[in-house]
Amino acid sequence: MVSLLFRRRLSPASISRGGEFYLLPWNMTTEASFGICNCLRQFSSSTAARKVDFTDLTHPHTWYPYARKKSRNVFLHVGPTNSGKTYQALKQLESSSSGVYCGPLRLLAWEIAKRLNKSNVPCDLITGQEREEVEGARHKSVTVEMADVSSDYDCAIIDEIQMIGCRSRGFSFTRALLGLAANELHLCGDAAVVPLVQEILKVTGDTIKVQYYERLSPLVPSKVPLGSFSNIRTGDCVVTFSRTEIYRMKKQIEAGGMHCCSVVYGSLPPETRTRQAVMFNDASSNSDVLVASDAIGMGLNLNISRIIFSTLQKFDGVEVRDLTVPEIKQIAGRAGRYKSNFPIGEVTCLEADDLPLLHSSLDYPSPVLERAGLFPNFDLLYMYSRLHPKHGIHEILEHFMDNAKLSEHYFIANCDELLKVAALIDTLPLSLRDKYLFCISPVDMDDDISSQGLTQFATNYSNNGLVQLREIFTPGTLKVPKSHTALKELESIHKVLDLYVWLSYRLEESFPDRELASSQKAVCSMLIEEFLERFGWQRPRTKRLTQNSRLISLISQETRQKF
């Protein structure tokens, strides 16, 4: 019954305030959704529907009528890392009567909300997994996917706007760029994005002004490599791109008896990453060296003296490749933060062979971006599905992607992860909207525990319309990991709990245990930190654990038998 009521309340023809379905990102606003509703009433057969090409994405600016009614003043603040560009934009946001900050990471959204509230500018925090409302707030700090394109703002900021060219997330930045209805829109990022933004906004009638910034503190590339970890000194940050390598290097550096290391990498819980960074920044703590992945490229304020690349290659999920010029510059630029304990930043490599690529990348401008990401919202996919009533969401997504029509300034976002989820849940008796919701959820499909957690959530939801966390998770069973493998499992459990919280904000009645999931997330973070302090790195076992033993802490015996 809960599931039935939810689906009736969010049927494709329903319109909420401003036409924006707040439970899902990427939807059209009033006029566009109203057009979809008219189509629904007019089309009594798929033959009539074929007269409209729902795969035509050549005019995405028309999806956002609120923004198009505005004469927006767009300010591009562009320059290298640590140049003060975001600082200047934030000054405008603080002085505005209402506004929104849109960042690429939850850590950045947290940081800006804290800064505004500390400056007596009441500010709400909204991410996929958090809602912290402040009384009287007319400002919001959000992750870019949560940008509300149906509200009116005096001022809006999109940070790291060059991510509009990201294969997987660029469409969210495009949506914010085209859809935010603000008198002033401030875009902060790399100068490589300027020509593309100017081209995209030619059809919107916006006024554009570009402000270029120079780095506030020197960044000096070294002519010699580090050579040995015996040459590590306080304030150094060693960058590598393998989780196993991070712990190996931490152990190797600490074995010298001179330094203690904090670690930062992507699969660490955000809370743990923040606390590890705080320890590193605190001159009174024992932690004076950082070992990190490219997760430090944005989102954390770090007092780094010297960046040391252990390698200039990374595995990007498909192949091992050289780092790009923007990636090298973004990471290297974290050294020598303005007004920190290390006003002059240094950068070098562990091996001499990598120095030529490092130096040439720092001297070379980032390649100009040519296209922005785009992805169809649910309304378009729904109408397209009317032409293929027997197809599941996997086939609908594939067909839509194959037939989408784009202008020369856009590309279709990589939806490989969505297709993996769609293949998993397509046989479940769920509505297209419910399937779409699970497809866009923040699940790591390359993680066994994370992907099976999503499958369980979707299965329980389809069977009962209710997903109680205790059915698959027993509070009180989490323990401090005693091995590298156990640590990875605990990080995966945190991902599943995080996924539950995300779903609870979109299917609140069906996922009622948000507080329990949030509290257990906090326990995971504390246990991981305790591992980092007590055990450090341990060599992973060569023999893989069986699937059931990997899941024993997360999934009950009864539930495991279903897989």
Side-chain angles (χ1 to χ4, degrees):
M1 179 59 72
V2 173
S3 179
L4 178 62
L5 288 173
F6 171 77
R7 284 197 288 270
R8 183 183 303 134
R9 189 166 62 249
L10 292 178
S11 65
S14 65
I15 298 294
S16 62
R17 184 177 63 84
E20 184 77 358
F21 293 112
Y22 288 103
L23 294 177
L24 292 174
W26 322 331
N27 289 305
M28 293 185 178
T29 45
T30 304
E31 294 175 15
S33 291
F34 184 71
I36 294 292
C37 295
N38 282 338
C39 287
L40 281 170
R41 285 192 290 269
Q42 293 170 9
F43 295 152
S44 58
S45 69
S46 60
T47 302
R50 291 180 194 278
K51 296 179 182 179
V52 177
D53 185 358
F54 296 109
T55 64
D56 185 352
L57 309 181
T58 55
H59 300 91
H61 65 286
T62 62
W63 299 354
Y64 308 102
Y66 277 114
R68 298 294 75 80
K69 290 177 181 177
K70 287 267 188 183
S71 296
R72 301 188 304 178
N73 291 308
V74 179
F75 299 89
L76 273 158
H77 304 266
V78 294
T81 303
N82 200 16
S83 59
K85 54 189 183 294
T86 305
Y87 172 79
Q88 292 299 325
L90 286 170
K91 284 176 61 178
Q92 294 300 119
L93 183 65
E94 287 180 13
S95 63
S96 65
S97 59
S98 64
V100 61
Y101 168 88
C102 305
L105 298 173
R106 290 157 66 182
L107 293 177
L108 276 173
W110 289 351
E111 181 181 318
I112 299 307
K114 181 178 179 180
R115 169 178 170 161
L116 291 177
N117 284 309
K118 189 175 180 179
S119 300
N120 295 319
V121 179
C123 179
D124 294 336
L125 171 67
I126 302 175
T127 74
Q129 292 86 345
E130 293 94 11
R131 302 287 190 281
E132 295 181 10
E133 296 184 353
V134 178
E135 185 177 355
R138 301 197 65 206
H139 289 72
K140 294 179 174 65
S141 183
V142 308
T143 42
V144 68
E145 283 81 4
M146 301 304 295
D148 179 2
V149 297
S150 67
S151 291
D152 188 32
Y153 300 106
D154 183 30
C155 179
I157 295 175
I158 307 175
D159 207 357
E160 306 293 350
I161 184 61
Q162 75 277 358
M163 288 188 68
I164 199 171
C166 176
R167 298 299 306 179
S168 57
R169 295 183 64 202
F171 65 92
S172 296
F173 290 81
T174 301
R175 174 180 176 272
L177 172 64
L178 294 175
L180 284 171
N183 297 325
E184 289 187 7
L185 177 59
H186 295 263
L187 313 175
C188 307
D190 194 295
V193 79
V194 171
L196 177 60
V197 169
Q198 290 174 326
E199 195 65 38
I200 286 176
L201 296 186
K202 277 183 178 180
V203 294
T204 63
D206 298 324
T207 301
I208 305 172
K209 182 178 180 180
V210 184
Q211 175 68 52
Y212 292 92
Y213 295 77
E214 298 294 332
R215 186 176 167 90
L216 295 173
S217 59
L219 180 63
V220 181
S222 176
K223 295 181 180 179
V224 296
L226 181 72
S228 167
F229 284 133
S230 63
N231 297 320
I232 287 285
R233 60 179 187 242
T234 296
D236 280 349
C237 173
V238 180
V239 177
T240 190
F241 303 97
S242 158
R243 184 179 178 282
T244 302
E245 281 296 290
I246 286 174
Y247 283 102
R248 184 184 70 81
M249 291 180 182
K250 169 184 167 67
K251 181 182 179 182
Q252 193 172 344
I253 292 169
E254 291 180 341
M258 300 293 292
H259 303 282
C260 252
C261 300
S262 291
V263 297
V264 169
Y265 53 92
S267 58
L268 272 181
E271 304 90 340
T272 306
R273 271 182 275 168
T274 300
R275 284 191 281 267
Q276 288 286 301
V278 168
M279 286 170 54
F280 171 70
N281 284 342
D282 185 355
S284 65
S285 81
N286 292 328
S287 177
D288 63 340
V289 171
L290 184 64
V291 186
S293 71
D294 49 354
I296 65 161
M298 60 184 74
L300 292 169
N301 284 321
L302 298 163
N303 295 327
I304 297 171
S305 171
R306 179 173 57 169
I307 289 285
I308 302 159
F309 286 93
S310 70
T311 176
L312 290 178
Q313 290 188 320
K314 67 177 289 188
F315 179 68
D316 62 5
V318 179
E319 61 182 354
V320 176
R321 60 166 176 81
D322 288 339
L323 297 182
T324 65
V325 169
E327 286 171 338
I328 291 174
K329 294 170 77 171
Q330 184 84 25
I331 296 169
R334 305 300 290 177
R337 179 181 163 211
Y338 184 59
K339 290 186 177 180
S340 75
N341 298 333
F342 307 105
I344 297 177
E346 299 177 62
V347 57
T348 189
C349 299
L350 187 60
E351 306 291 344
D353 290 347
D354 287 327
L355 286 175
L357 178 57
L358 172 66
H359 283 256
S360 62
S361 297
L362 294 178
D363 290 337
Y364 195 79
S366 299
V368 172
L369 293 176
E370 296 181 351
R371 295 186 299 162
L374 207 61
F375 195 80
N377 54 57
F378 173 77
D379 298 298
L380 285 174
L381 287 175
Y382 175 80
M383 292 307 300
Y384 188 71
S385 73
R386 301 273 295 216
L387 305 178
H388 308 280
K390 295 183 179 181
H391 288 177
I393 192 168
H394 187 276
E395 284 184 287
I396 290 168
L397 282 168
E398 276 195 323
H399 287 186
F400 196 103
M401 299 299 105
D402 290 342
N403 293 285
K405 299 169 183 62
L406 305 165
S407 77
E408 60 181 324
H409 305 303
Y410 296 97
F411 65 87
I412 280 286
N414 185 327
C415 65
D416 288 349
E417 289 300 300
L418 274 72
L419 289 171
K420 290 178 184 178
V421 179
L424 263 179
I425 66 171
D426 230 352
T427 58
L428 296 177
L430 293 170
S431 71
L432 185 68
R433 180 177 287 280
D434 285 338
K435 289 181 179 180
Y436 180 80
L437 175 65
F438 283 104
C439 284
I440 66 171
S441 66
V443 58
D444 181 357
M445 292 301 294
D446 294 325
D447 182 304
D448 288 343
I449 294 177
S450 181
S451 62
Q452 291 189 30
L454 176 125
T455 306
Q456 290 180 4
F457 291 157
T459 301
N460 288 10
Y461 176 69
S462 66
N463 290 339
N464 310 314
L466 182 66
V467 183
Q468 294 179 310
L469 190 61
R470 293 178 188 273
E471 293 177 356
I472 63 169
F473 176 82
T474 305
T477 59
L478 299 175
K479 298 178 181 179
V480 177
K482 295 184 178 180
S483 68
H484 191 272
T485 301
L487 172 64
K488 187 174 181 180
E489 178 181 315
L490 191 57
E491 291 169 356
S492 298
I493 292 171
H494 185 279
K495 291 179 185 178
V496 175
L497 293 168
D498 205 44
L499 173 63
Y500 188 98
V501 172
W502 189 92
L503 289 166
S504 76
Y505 277 111
R506 290 149 182 84
L507 300 168
E508 192 163 6
E509 294 173 337
S510 298
F511 288 76
D513 297 329
R514 183 190 306 152
E515 289 187 9
L516 175 61
S518 296
S519 67
Q520 292 302 298
K521 277 175 56 183
V523 171
C524 283
S525 297
M526 288 188 290
L527 295 176
I528 289 171
E529 288 178 59
E530 191 167 343
F531 169 85
L532 295 176
E533 294 174 9
R534 288 171 50 185
F535 295 97
W537 182 84
Q538 295 183 20
R539 185 177 300 278
R541 296 178 185 176
T542 55
K543 184 179 179 181
R544 280 192 72 177
L545 297 176
T546 63
Q547 178 171 304
N548 280 353
S549 63
R550 285 200 310 273
L551 301 179
I552 194 166
S553 297
L554 175 67
I555 302 173
S556 67
Q557 182 67 32
E558 180 181 352
T559 307
R560 284 204 308 273
Q561 291 172 354
K562 298 177 182 178
F563 293 91

